[in-house]
Amino acid sequence: MGQALDEARAALETDDVPVGAVVVDGSGAIIGVGRNERELRQDPTAHAEVVAIRQAAWKLDDWHLTDATLVVTLEPCIMCAGAILAARIPRVVFGAWDDKAGAAGSVYDVLRDRRLNHSVEVVAGIEADACGELLTTFFRDGRWGGARGAR
């Protein structure tokens, strides 16, 4: 989670919402890193999780991330949950809950929906205070055009 928090802090440099993610393989080696880059790239899909998943797939030259764990500072949204399921990632560890758009247990529980073709183990609340404080400070201080929405 420490590396994911570092990525989240780096997102502040581009006025992106401070969310960071890492993908680790079965041995614990980092194979993908990402931070929110929507503002930087003007890309609505450039969430931290998607950036990290893309990097991991490129590194492995395989989109099947069946031995990986995604660690992210904020509960994944529906789009990111879809990417996690598509990549067949078996485990997600996240910090802060997202009571507005979360898809891993708060608003929706897409990752553990047994009707889908893949189910994910979810570990929530790791370093939740540190992850949440970064987001709270960002939005409280008005560092981002909140009129455009969250995340």
Side-chain angles (χ1 to χ4, degrees):
M1 186 61 76
Q3 180 69 37
L5 278 163
D6 288 345
E7 290 296 318
R9 289 183 198 101
L12 293 170
E13 296 171 16
T14 56
D15 285 332
D16 277 286
V17 178
V19 177
V22 296
V23 178
V24 297
D25 66 15
S27 71
I30 294 174
I31 57 173
V33 297
R35 66 181 69 105
N36 271 354
E37 295 181 346
R38 290 191 323 170
E39 297 301 316
L40 175 66
R41 303 198 183 286
Q42 292 302 300
D43 177 355
T45 69
H47 287 200
E49 300 94 324
V50 172
V51 173
I53 289 168
R54 285 177 179 156
Q55 190 177 97
W58 289 329
K59 181 169 182 134
L60 297 180
D61 195 28
D62 190 353
W63 62 268
H64 296 90
L65 303 178
T66 56
D67 192 33
T69 297
L70 174 73
V71 180
V72 61
T73 58
L74 181 64
E75 177 185 5
C77 69
I78 291 173
M79 176 186 70
C80 293
I84 291 162
L85 292 168
R88 306 300 193 266
I89 295 173
R91 261 171 315 299
V92 170
V93 175
F94 71 84
W97 290 95
D98 185 346
D99 295 332
K100 293 182 180 178
S106 63
V107 180
Y108 304 100
D109 201 356
V110 175
L111 294 180
R112 293 179 287 201
D113 189 330
R114 299 221 182 268
R115 296 171 293 179
L116 300 174
N117 64 334
H118 179 66
S119 185
V120 178
E121 175 189 357
V122 175
V123 179
I126 305 303
E127 297 286 334
D129 290 342
C131 296
E133 179 61 28
L134 201 55
L135 291 158
T136 299
T137 300
F138 178 80
F139 287 110
R140 182 190 63 223
D141 292 350
R143 294 200 48 199
W144 190 62
R148 290 187 275 178
R151 203 164 163 108

